[in-house]
Amino acid sequence: MPENPTLIPTVVDAEQFAVQTSAIVDSVSRVIDGKPDAVRSALVCLLAEGHLLIEDVPGVGKTMLARALAASVDATVRRIQFTPDLLPGDVTGVSVYNPVDREFEFKRGAVFAHIVIADEINRSSPKTQSALLEAMEEGQVTVDGSTHMLPDPFLVVATQNPLEMEGTYALPEAQRDRFMMRISMGYPDAAAEAEMLRQRDTVNPLAAVTAVADAASISGLIAWARSVHVAPALEEYTVALAQATRADPNLHLGASPRATLQLIRAAKVWAALDGRDFVIPDDVTALLIPVLAHRLLPARGAHRAGAQPVEAALRQIVERVRVPVTSRS
């Protein structure tokens, strides 16, 4: 079996896109109660060919969201529990000597799957974390000079707990920049939590989830989202927002060009999920914080302005950057 079998994307139109994406959202939402924004963000990352970082306190459903998305798509899924003793070879794979053939053969690591759940990613060493860099950016891994392609589509859903920092390794800027979006689950509201108590006392909701899409249909949805139109004026607006982060006195590190590109890709999917084949400024601004905030660093002393200086700086940037009124040809 080839390492990266060629998928023939299912050709979809706007109506089929809406039907298939609604089915995925409904499937995941049956497991994740009262968190429509988190479910939508996970789907955006999948269809925009990005990766998702879920950062929140324990017990709010971070891993459950990743597993529910994986169960809703009939594709290969692997879960990696990141621990201090996890080695890079456990993630990417290693070359093992075969005494029968008298040659080395490559044994695939856990990263060879369509959806990879990287649980508690900040509990492993930087050396192991860096094993994901090439995979997340280029869809491949290189071991002993040989390159091995990963399945397509490919999504990494990583989780981390921002509070229990003892014995953890903070993700470096280069690693955070590989994630298209960072989201927080947050606590459920009272009604959703009460419903959870009634439904999950004896039954695991994941057991009832059945796949509503496969890898080929996901590739078709991705192709449709790519075709969403972005006007030149809106591209200039997105670039202006990114450049404003690089010049803002409240930010020490601004958005990278990769961040600008991923913001546009995410906005295309966001528009498609709303039933449009074109992007509007609201799509970009709605995604600005989840796509950019985790990549930026506040300037020294900026924390005095509030608990979330990066988010505050982004809101101020949105207010002062001129929004395009009409597109230019």
Side-chain angles (χ1 to χ4, degrees):
M1 182 177 178
E3 292 182 352
N4 188 22
T6 301
L7 292 174
I8 301 177
T10 303
V11 179
V12 301
D13 56 21
E15 181 178 356
Q16 292 170 329
F17 183 93
V19 170
Q20 293 186 33
T21 53
S22 294
I24 296 173
V25 169
D26 291 343
S27 177
V28 179
S29 297
R30 283 196 290 269
V31 179
I32 306 300
D33 301 308
K35 295 296 175 185
D37 292 341
V39 174
R40 183 181 174 112
S41 296
L43 184 57
V44 167
C45 284
L46 176 63
L47 301 184
E49 301 178 282
H51 306 287
L52 179 64
L53 176 62
I54 309 176
E55 183 178 274
D56 216 323
V57 297
V60 294
K62 300 187 298 295
T63 305
M64 188 70 76
L65 172 60
R67 294 179 62 189
L69 178 63
S72 300
V73 179
D74 185 15
T76 54
V77 180
R78 297 292 293 273
R79 178 179 178 271
I80 308 173
Q81 180 62 56
F82 279 74
T83 56
D85 60 349
L86 189 72
L87 299 175
D90 298 327
V91 177
T92 60
V94 294
S95 293
V96 179
Y97 183 72
N98 186 333
V100 177
D101 298 332
R102 296 185 178 182
E103 61 181 17
F104 284 90
E105 60 182 32
F106 180 67
K107 297 293 184 181
R108 297 182 182 184
V111 77
F112 282 85
H114 290 105
I115 299 177
V116 176
I117 304 172
D119 220 1
E120 295 186 292
I121 190 173
N122 59 332
R123 294 202 175 277
S124 65
S125 67
K127 184 176 182 180
T128 302
Q129 291 177 11
S130 65
L132 283 172
L133 289 175
E134 181 185 13
M136 294 172 67
E137 178 66 16
E138 302 176 36
Q140 64 182 35
V141 297
T142 302
V143 178
D144 294 337
S146 298
T147 299
H148 307 271
M149 302 303 297
L150 295 171
D152 184 25
F154 175 67
L155 170 70
V156 173
V157 181
T159 70
Q160 68 174 359
N161 175 10
L163 296 182
E164 296 177 356
M165 301 307 295
E166 184 177 352
T168 65
Y169 304 87
L171 297 181
E173 285 74 17
Q175 187 86 47
R176 294 201 304 268
D177 200 41
R178 296 301 199 278
F179 288 99
M180 173 172 281
M181 298 176 66
R182 182 189 65 181
I183 65 171
S184 296
M185 299 291 293
Y187 293 110
D189 58 34
E193 192 165 4
E195 183 69 16
M196 179 185 67
L197 294 178
R198 288 190 292 269
Q199 294 182 347
R200 304 187 185 184
D201 187 28
T202 58
V203 178
N204 183 353
L206 281 172
V209 176
T210 57
V212 295
D214 56 20
S217 63
I218 292 297
S219 295
L221 298 177
I222 291 172
W224 171 258
R226 284 177 184 166
S227 68
V228 171
H229 177 67
V230 182
L234 197 53
E235 293 175 340
E236 295 170 5
Y237 175 62
T238 306
V239 170
L241 291 171
Q243 290 184 333
T245 67
R246 301 163 193 165
D248 194 300
N250 294 312
L251 297 174
H252 175 66
L253 178 67
S256 67
R258 180 191 288 118
T260 311
L261 178 61
Q262 293 193 344
L263 181 57
I264 283 293
R265 288 178 176 173
K268 285 185 174 185
V269 178
W270 195 269
L273 291 175
D274 281 345
R276 286 179 280 104
D277 60 357
F278 58 91
V279 175
I280 61 176
D282 286 348
D283 299 326
V284 176
T285 55
L287 291 163
L288 198 65
I289 289 178
V291 173
L292 296 190
H294 63 288
R295 309 168 191 263
L296 312 181
L297 292 178
R300 184 175 301 178
H303 64 279
R304 299 171 185 170
Q308 297 179 316
V310 171
E311 287 80 354
L314 287 174
R315 294 187 184 97
Q316 292 173 5
I317 287 172
V318 170
E319 292 177 358
R320 68 172 181 261
V321 174
R322 186 181 66 84
V323 179
V325 178
T326 57
S327 61
R328 297 194 299 270
S329 57

mmCIF file of all heavy atoms in Angstrom, residues 172-214:
data_model
loop_
_atom_site.group_PDB
_atom_site.id
_atom_site.type_symbol
_atom_site.label_atom_id
_atom_site.label_comp_id
_atom_site.label_asym_id
_atom_site.label_seq_id
_atom_site.Cartn_x
_atom_site.Cartn_y
_atom_site.Cartn_z
ATOM 1 N N PRO A 172 7.438 26.739 21.671
ATOM 2 C CA PRO A 172 8.169 27.896 21.137
ATOM 3 C C PRO A 172 7.358 28.589 20.051
ATOM 4 O O PRO A 172 6.378 28.041 19.531
ATOM 5 C CB PRO A 172 9.448 27.270 20.580
ATOM 6 C CG PRO A 172 9.079 25.856 20.271
ATOM 7 C CD PRO A 172 8.058 25.463 21.302
ATOM 8 N N GLU A 173 7.793 29.792 19.694
ATOM 9 C CA GLU A 173 7.058 30.583 18.699
ATOM 10 C C GLU A 173 6.913 29.840 17.376
ATOM 11 O O GLU A 173 5.865 29.882 16.733
ATOM 12 C CB GLU A 173 7.759 31.928 18.470
ATOM 13 C CG GLU A 173 7.582 32.940 19.589
ATOM 14 C CD GLU A 173 8.417 32.599 20.818
ATOM 15 O OE1 GLU A 173 9.365 31.786 20.689
ATOM 16 O OE2 GLU A 173 8.128 33.117 21.904
ATOM 17 N N ALA A 174 7.979 29.144 16.945
ATOM 18 C CA ALA A 174 7.925 28.429 15.665
ATOM 19 C C ALA A 174 6.873 27.332 15.688
ATOM 20 O O ALA A 174 6.211 27.069 14.673
ATOM 21 C CB ALA A 174 9.299 27.836 15.334
ATOM 22 N N GLN A 175 6.701 26.687 16.835
ATOM 23 C CA GLN A 175 5.698 25.624 16.949
ATOM 24 C C GLN A 175 4.297 26.215 16.964
ATOM 25 O O GLN A 175 3.390 25.715 16.286
ATOM 26 C CB GLN A 175 5.936 24.825 18.226
ATOM 27 C CG GLN A 175 5.038 23.590 18.347
ATOM 28 C CD GLN A 175 5.625 22.377 17.659
ATOM 29 O OE1 GLN A 175 6.788 22.068 17.833
ATOM 30 N NE2 GLN A 175 4.826 21.697 16.867
ATOM 31 N N ARG A 176 4.087 27.290 17.716
ATOM 32 C CA ARG A 176 2.759 27.906 17.780
ATOM 33 C C ARG A 176 2.342 28.443 16.415
ATOM 34 O O ARG A 176 1.159 28.441 16.078
ATOM 35 C CB ARG A 176 2.744 29.039 18.810
ATOM 36 C CG ARG A 176 2.947 28.570 20.247
ATOM 37 C CD ARG A 176 2.411 29.610 21.236
ATOM 38 N NE ARG A 176 3.016 30.931 21.018
ATOM 39 C CZ ARG A 176 4.099 31.365 21.627
ATOM 40 N NH1 ARG A 176 4.733 30.579 22.484
ATOM 41 N NH2 ARG A 176 4.574 32.565 21.391
ATOM 42 N N ASP A 177 3.316 28.916 15.641
ATOM 43 C CA ASP A 177 2.998 29.490 14.332
ATOM 44 C C ASP A 177 2.505 28.433 13.354
ATOM 45 O O ASP A 177 1.908 28.757 12.332
ATOM 46 C CB ASP A 177 4.237 30.195 13.760
ATOM 47 C CG ASP A 177 3.874 31.201 12.681
ATOM 48 O OD1 ASP A 177 2.879 31.925 12.853
ATOM 49 O OD2 ASP A 177 4.592 31.255 11.665
ATOM 50 N N ARG A 178 2.750 27.150 13.644
ATOM 51 C CA ARG A 178 2.270 26.078 12.776
ATOM 52 C C ARG A 178 0.779 25.816 12.961
ATOM 53 O O ARG A 178 0.154 25.201 12.109
ATOM 54 C CB ARG A 178 3.040 24.778 13.045
ATOM 55 C CG ARG A 178 4.532 24.798 12.730
ATOM 56 C CD ARG A 178 4.811 25.111 11.273
ATOM 57 N NE ARG A 178 6.142 24.706 10.843
ATOM 58 C CZ ARG A 178 7.261 25.391 11.020
ATOM 59 N NH1 ARG A 178 7.206 26.556 11.665
ATOM 60 N NH2 ARG A 178 8.421 24.957 10.583
ATOM 61 N N PHE A 179 0.227 26.268 14.084
ATOM 62 C CA PHE A 179 -1.196 26.038 14.334
ATOM 63 C C PHE A 179 -2.013 27.159 13.714
ATOM 64 O O PHE A 179 -1.778 28.330 13.974
ATOM 65 C CB PHE A 179 -1.470 25.963 15.834
ATOM 66 C CG PHE A 179 -0.970 24.703 16.484
ATOM 67 C CD1 PHE A 179 0.231 24.690 17.171
ATOM 68 C CD2 PHE A 179 -1.694 23.524 16.390
ATOM 69 C CE1 PHE A 179 0.705 23.534 17.757
ATOM 70 C CE2 PHE A 179 -1.228 22.363 16.970
ATOM 71 C CZ PHE A 179 -0.031 22.364 17.659
ATOM 72 N N MET A 180 -2.982 26.787 12.907
ATOM 73 C CA MET A 180 -3.838 27.784 12.276
ATOM 74 C C MET A 180 -4.654 28.545 13.309
ATOM 75 O O MET A 180 -4.795 29.772 13.228
ATOM 76 C CB MET A 180 -4.772 27.117 11.265
ATOM 77 C CG MET A 180 -5.816 28.053 10.675
ATOM 78 S SD MET A 180 -6.743 27.307 9.330
ATOM 79 C CE MET A 180 -5.578 27.478 7.974
ATOM 80 N N MET A 181 -5.210 27.820 14.289
ATOM 81 C CA MET A 181 -6.074 28.455 15.278
ATOM 82 C C MET A 181 -5.775 27.917 16.669
ATOM 83 O O MET A 181 -5.371 26.767 16.824
ATOM 84 C CB MET A 181 -7.557 28.203 14.948
ATOM 85 C CG MET A 181 -8.018 28.779 13.627
ATOM 86 S SD MET A 181 -9.741 28.347 13.236
ATOM 87 C CE MET A 181 -10.615 29.216 14.520
ATOM 88 N N ARG A 182 -5.969 28.786 17.659
ATOM 89 C CA ARG A 182 -5.976 28.366 19.050
ATOM 90 C C ARG A 182 -7.315 28.754 19.654
ATOM 91 O O ARG A 182 -7.746 29.907 19.526
ATOM 92 C CB ARG A 182 -4.853 29.043 19.844
ATOM 93 C CG ARG A 182 -4.809 28.585 21.315
ATOM 94 C CD ARG A 182 -3.864 29.415 22.131
ATOM 95 N NE ARG A 182 -4.303 30.816 22.228
ATOM 96 C CZ ARG A 182 -3.627 31.766 22.881
ATOM 97 N NH1 ARG A 182 -2.485 31.471 23.465
ATOM 98 N NH2 ARG A 182 -4.088 33.003 22.920
ATOM 99 N N ILE A 183 -7.967 27.805 20.293
ATOM 100 C CA ILE A 183 -9.265 28.077 20.893
ATOM 101 C C ILE A 183 -9.281 27.572 22.336
ATOM 102 O O ILE A 183 -8.413 26.788 22.745
ATOM 103 C CB ILE A 183 -10.424 27.411 20.110
ATOM 104 C CG1 ILE A 183 -10.303 25.886 20.171
ATOM 105 C CG2 ILE A 183 -10.461 27.908 18.683
ATOM 106 C CD1 ILE A 183 -11.520 25.156 19.608
ATOM 107 N N SER A 184 -10.246 28.023 23.093
ATOM 108 C CA SER A 184 -10.509 27.525 24.434
ATOM 109 C C SER A 184 -11.935 26.998 24.470
ATOM 110 O O SER A 184 -12.843 27.597 23.881
ATOM 111 C CB SER A 184 -10.326 28.627 25.478
ATOM 112 O OG SER A 184 -8.980 29.068 25.528
ATOM 113 N N MET A 185 -12.130 25.886 25.142
ATOM 114 C CA MET A 185 -13.467 25.296 25.217
ATOM 115 C C MET A 185 -14.364 26.097 26.154
ATOM 116 O O MET A 185 -15.502 26.406 25.828
ATOM 117 C CB MET A 185 -13.368 23.855 25.703
ATOM 118 C CG MET A 185 -12.561 22.936 24.803
ATOM 119 S SD MET A 185 -13.372 22.629 23.230
ATOM 120 C CE MET A 185 -14.786 21.693 23.762
ATOM 121 N N GLY A 186 -13.840 26.449 27.335
ATOM 122 C CA GLY A 186 -14.663 27.127 28.323
ATOM 123 C C GLY A 186 -15.616 26.156 29.007
ATOM 124 O O GLY A 186 -15.849 25.033 28.546
ATOM 125 N N TYR A 187 -16.162 26.590 30.120
ATOM 126 C CA TYR A 187 -17.111 25.754 30.843
ATOM 127 C C TYR A 187 -18.474 25.765 30.150
ATOM 128 O O TYR A 187 -18.876 26.780 29.572
ATOM 129 C CB TYR A 187 -17.270 26.250 32.281
ATOM 130 C CG TYR A 187 -16.039 26.076 33.127
ATOM 131 C CD1 TYR A 187 -15.285 27.176 33.530
ATOM 132 C CD2 TYR A 187 -15.622 24.808 33.529
ATOM 133 C CE1 TYR A 187 -14.142 27.017 34.306
ATOM 134 C CE2 TYR A 187 -14.484 24.639 34.299
ATOM 135 C CZ TYR A 187 -13.751 25.746 34.692
ATOM 136 O OH TYR A 187 -12.625 25.585 35.454
ATOM 137 N N PRO A 188 -19.196 24.644 30.197
ATOM 138 C CA PRO A 188 -20.548 24.643 29.609
ATOM 139 C C PRO A 188 -21.505 25.454 30.466
ATOM 140 O O PRO A 188 -21.266 25.666 31.668
ATOM 141 C CB PRO A 188 -20.917 23.155 29.629
ATOM 142 C CG PRO A 188 -20.127 22.581 30.761
ATOM 143 C CD PRO A 188 -18.834 23.347 30.781
ATOM 144 N N ASP A 189 -22.598 25.917 29.854
ATOM 145 C CA ASP A 189 -23.605 26.610 30.650
ATOM 146 C C ASP A 189 -24.374 25.593 31.502
ATOM 147 O O ASP A 189 -24.217 24.374 31.354
ATOM 148 C CB ASP A 189 -24.548 27.424 29.764
ATOM 149 C CG ASP A 189 -25.268 26.578 28.719
ATOM 150 O OD1 ASP A 189 -25.587 25.398 29.015
ATOM 151 O OD2 ASP A 189 -25.515 27.084 27.619
ATOM 152 N N ALA A 190 -25.200 26.095 32.396
ATOM 153 C CA ALA A 190 -25.877 25.223 33.364
ATOM 154 C C ALA A 190 -26.760 24.184 32.678
ATOM 155 O O ALA A 190 -26.786 23.008 33.072
ATOM 156 C CB ALA A 190 -26.705 26.067 34.333
ATOM 157 N N ALA A 191 -27.481 24.600 31.642
ATOM 158 C CA ALA A 191 -28.387 23.671 30.952
ATOM 159 C C ALA A 191 -27.618 22.554 30.268
ATOM 160 O O ALA A 191 -27.997 21.376 30.337
ATOM 161 C CB ALA A 191 -29.236 24.439 29.941
ATOM 162 N N ALA A 192 -26.514 22.911 29.588
ATOM 163 C CA ALA A 192 -25.716 21.907 28.889
ATOM 164 C C ALA A 192 -25.058 20.948 29.878
ATOM 165 O O ALA A 192 -24.960 19.743 29.620
ATOM 166 C CB ALA A 192 -24.657 22.590 28.026
ATOM 167 N N GLU A 193 -24.606 21.464 31.022
ATOM 168 C CA GLU A 193 -23.963 20.603 32.009
ATOM 169 C C GLU A 193 -24.979 19.645 32.644
ATOM 170 O O GLU A 193 -24.677 18.478 32.890
ATOM 171 C CB GLU A 193 -23.289 21.453 33.082
ATOM 172 C CG GLU A 193 -22.355 20.671 33.975
ATOM 173 C CD GLU A 193 -21.434 21.568 34.783
ATOM 174 O OE1 GLU A 193 -21.573 22.816 34.697
ATOM 175 O OE2 GLU A 193 -20.563 21.029 35.493
ATOM 176 N N ALA A 194 -26.192 20.122 32.887
ATOM 177 C CA ALA A 194 -27.237 19.262 33.431
ATOM 178 C C ALA A 194 -27.615 18.170 32.435
ATOM 179 O O ALA A 194 -27.829 17.005 32.803
ATOM 180 C CB ALA A 194 -28.468 20.099 33.806
ATOM 181 N N GLU A 195 -27.700 18.542 31.159
ATOM 182 C CA GLU A 195 -28.004 17.561 30.116
ATOM 183 C C GLU A 195 -26.905 16.517 30.030
ATOM 184 O O GLU A 195 -27.170 15.327 29.815
ATOM 185 C CB GLU A 195 -28.177 18.279 28.777
ATOM 186 C CG GLU A 195 -28.570 17.374 27.623
ATOM 187 C CD GLU A 195 -29.981 16.846 27.757
ATOM 188 O OE1 GLU A 195 -30.771 17.387 28.562
ATOM 189 O OE2 GLU A 195 -30.296 15.877 27.030
ATOM 190 N N MET A 196 -25.668 16.950 30.208
ATOM 191 C CA MET A 196 -24.534 16.024 30.182
ATOM 192 C C MET A 196 -24.643 14.998 31.309
ATOM 193 O O MET A 196 -24.384 13.807 31.122
ATOM 194 C CB MET A 196 -23.223 16.796 30.305
ATOM 195 C CG MET A 196 -21.982 15.932 30.301
ATOM 196 S SD MET A 196 -20.488 16.897 30.589
ATOM 197 C CE MET A 196 -20.746 17.408 32.291
ATOM 198 N N LEU A 197 -25.073 15.438 32.493
ATOM 199 C CA LEU A 197 -25.225 14.524 33.625
ATOM 200 C C LEU A 197 -26.280 13.469 33.335
ATOM 201 O O LEU A 197 -26.125 12.295 33.698
ATOM 202 C CB LEU A 197 -25.604 15.314 34.877
ATOM 203 C CG LEU A 197 -24.557 16.280 35.434
ATOM 204 C CD1 LEU A 197 -25.108 17.015 36.644
ATOM 205 C CD2 LEU A 197 -23.272 15.542 35.791
ATOM 206 N N ARG A 198 -27.356 13.860 32.673
ATOM 207 C CA ARG A 198 -28.435 12.916 32.387
ATOM 208 C C ARG A 198 -28.028 11.907 31.311
ATOM 209 O O ARG A 198 -28.361 10.728 31.401
ATOM 210 C CB ARG A 198 -29.692 13.668 31.934
ATOM 211 C CG ARG A 198 -30.408 14.422 33.058
ATOM 212 C CD ARG A 198 -31.755 14.941 32.592
ATOM 213 N NE ARG A 198 -31.602 16.005 31.598
ATOM 214 C CZ ARG A 198 -31.539 17.293 31.899
ATOM 215 N NH1 ARG A 198 -31.598 17.683 33.171
ATOM 216 N NH2 ARG A 198 -31.424 18.208 30.965
ATOM 217 N N GLN A 199 -27.305 12.376 30.296
ATOM 218 C CA GLN A 199 -27.013 11.523 29.146
ATOM 219 C C GLN A 199 -25.782 10.648 29.331
ATOM 220 O O GLN A 199 -25.692 9.571 28.744
ATOM 221 C CB GLN A 199 -26.842 12.385 27.894
ATOM 222 C CG GLN A 199 -28.115 13.087 27.450
ATOM 223 C CD GLN A 199 -27.890 13.889 26.181
ATOM 224 O OE1 GLN A 199 -26.769 14.122 25.757
ATOM 225 N NE2 GLN A 199 -28.979 14.333 25.557
ATOM 226 N N ARG A 200 -24.823 11.077 30.124
ATOM 227 C CA ARG A 200 -23.532 10.382 30.160
ATOM 228 C C ARG A 200 -23.275 9.606 31.443
ATOM 229 O O ARG A 200 -22.159 9.182 31.699
ATOM 230 C CB ARG A 200 -22.392 11.393 29.951
ATOM 231 C CG ARG A 200 -22.539 12.177 28.661
ATOM 232 C CD ARG A 200 -21.341 13.051 28.386
ATOM 233 N NE ARG A 200 -21.543 13.882 27.226
ATOM 234 C CZ ARG A 200 -20.626 14.690 26.722
ATOM 235 N NH1 ARG A 200 -19.433 14.775 27.299
ATOM 236 N NH2 ARG A 200 -20.881 15.420 25.653
ATOM 237 N N ASP A 201 -24.307 9.415 32.221
ATOM 238 C CA ASP A 201 -24.120 8.687 33.465
ATOM 239 C C ASP A 201 -23.693 7.249 33.199
ATOM 240 O O ASP A 201 -22.830 6.696 33.876
ATOM 241 C CB ASP A 201 -25.416 8.734 34.276
ATOM 242 C CG ASP A 201 -25.239 8.137 35.667
ATOM 243 O OD1 ASP A 201 -24.110 8.190 36.187
ATOM 244 O OD2 ASP A 201 -26.223 7.623 36.229
ATOM 245 N N THR A 202 -24.297 6.622 32.202
ATOM 246 C CA THR A 202 -23.989 5.215 31.908
ATOM 247 C C THR A 202 -23.551 4.983 30.467
ATOM 248 O O THR A 202 -23.135 3.882 30.132
ATOM 249 C CB THR A 202 -25.229 4.342 32.178
ATOM 250 O OG1 THR A 202 -26.326 4.813 31.384
ATOM 251 C CG2 THR A 202 -25.604 4.393 33.650
ATOM 252 N N VAL A 203 -23.632 6.012 29.607
ATOM 253 C CA VAL A 203 -23.349 5.824 28.184
ATOM 254 C C VAL A 203 -22.240 6.773 27.744
ATOM 255 O O VAL A 203 -22.257 7.963 28.091
ATOM 256 C CB VAL A 203 -24.618 6.074 27.327
ATOM 257 C CG1 VAL A 203 -24.298 5.920 25.846
ATOM 258 C CG2 VAL A 203 -25.724 5.122 27.743
ATOM 259 N N ASN A 204 -21.283 6.255 27.001
ATOM 260 C CA ASN A 204 -20.245 7.084 26.406
ATOM 261 C C ASN A 204 -20.766 7.614 25.079
ATOM 262 O O ASN A 204 -21.045 6.826 24.165
ATOM 263 C CB ASN A 204 -18.975 6.262 26.187
ATOM 264 C CG ASN A 204 -17.831 7.095 25.626
ATOM 265 O OD1 ASN A 204 -18.005 8.261 25.270
ATOM 266 N ND2 ASN A 204 -16.654 6.496 25.540
ATOM 267 N N PRO A 205 -20.923 8.929 24.923
ATOM 268 C CA PRO A 205 -21.508 9.455 23.679
ATOM 269 C C PRO A 205 -20.681 9.142 22.445
ATOM 270 O O PRO A 205 -21.215 9.081 21.335
ATOM 271 C CB PRO A 205 -21.581 10.968 23.937
ATOM 272 C CG PRO A 205 -20.561 11.227 24.991
ATOM 273 C CD PRO A 205 -20.550 10.005 25.858
ATOM 274 N N LEU A 206 -19.374 8.934 22.606
ATOM 275 C CA LEU A 206 -18.537 8.606 21.454
ATOM 276 C C LEU A 206 -18.912 7.264 20.835
ATOM 277 O O LEU A 206 -18.704 7.044 19.646
ATOM 278 C CB LEU A 206 -17.066 8.593 21.851
ATOM 279 C CG LEU A 206 -16.376 9.949 21.960
ATOM 280 C CD1 LEU A 206 -14.980 9.787 22.544
ATOM 281 C CD2 LEU A 206 -16.301 10.628 20.603
ATOM 282 N N ALA A 207 -19.459 6.370 21.664
ATOM 283 C CA ALA A 207 -19.803 5.043 21.161
ATOM 284 C C ALA A 207 -20.922 5.101 20.126
ATOM 285 O O ALA A 207 -21.050 4.203 19.283
ATOM 286 C CB ALA A 207 -20.205 4.139 22.325
ATOM 287 N N ALA A 208 -21.732 6.152 20.188
ATOM 288 C CA ALA A 208 -22.860 6.272 19.260
ATOM 289 C C ALA A 208 -22.521 7.067 18.009
ATOM 290 O O ALA A 208 -23.354 7.187 17.107
ATOM 291 C CB ALA A 208 -24.044 6.922 19.973
ATOM 292 N N VAL A 209 -21.303 7.608 17.930
ATOM 293 C CA VAL A 209 -20.926 8.422 16.770
ATOM 294 C C VAL A 209 -20.545 7.516 15.611
ATOM 295 O O VAL A 209 -19.736 6.592 15.758
ATOM 296 C CB VAL A 209 -19.750 9.356 17.109
ATOM 297 C CG1 VAL A 209 -19.302 10.122 15.872
ATOM 298 C CG2 VAL A 209 -20.156 10.327 18.214
ATOM 299 N N THR A 210 -21.136 7.772 14.454
ATOM 300 C CA THR A 210 -20.783 7.055 13.240
ATOM 301 C C THR A 210 -20.239 8.042 12.215
ATOM 302 O O THR A 210 -20.617 9.212 12.210
ATOM 303 C CB THR A 210 -21.999 6.320 12.648
ATOM 304 O OG1 THR A 210 -23.047 7.272 12.396
ATOM 305 C CG2 THR A 210 -22.505 5.262 13.604
ATOM 306 N N ALA A 211 -19.361 7.575 11.367
ATOM 307 C CA ALA A 211 -18.737 8.439 10.369
ATOM 308 C C ALA A 211 -19.780 8.941 9.376
ATOM 309 O O ALA A 211 -20.594 8.169 8.868
ATOM 310 C CB ALA A 211 -17.632 7.691 9.645
ATOM 311 N N VAL A 212 -19.758 10.242 9.114
ATOM 312 C CA VAL A 212 -20.673 10.848 8.148
ATOM 313 C C VAL A 212 -19.920 11.374 6.931
ATOM 314 O O VAL A 212 -20.517 11.938 6.025
ATOM 315 C CB VAL A 212 -21.478 11.990 8.800
ATOM 316 C CG1 VAL A 212 -22.385 11.450 9.895
ATOM 317 C CG2 VAL A 212 -20.558 13.065 9.370
ATOM 318 N N ALA A 213 -18.598 11.197 6.899
ATOM 319 C CA ALA A 213 -17.770 11.627 5.766
ATOM 320 C C ALA A 213 -16.535 10.753 5.732
ATOM 321 O O ALA A 213 -16.174 10.114 6.728
ATOM 322 C CB ALA A 213 -17.378 13.097 5.899
ATOM 323 N N ASP A 214 -15.895 10.695 4.574
ATOM 324 C CA ASP A 214 -14.643 9.958 4.458
ATOM 325 C C ASP A 214 -13.561 10.885 3.921
ATOM 326 O O ASP A 214 -13.809 12.070 3.655
ATOM 327 C CB ASP A 214 -14.794 8.721 3.566
ATOM 328 C CG ASP A 214 -15.310 9.059 2.165
ATOM 329 O OD1 ASP A 214 -15.196 10.230 1.749
ATOM 330 O OD2 ASP A 214 -15.827 8.157 1.485
#
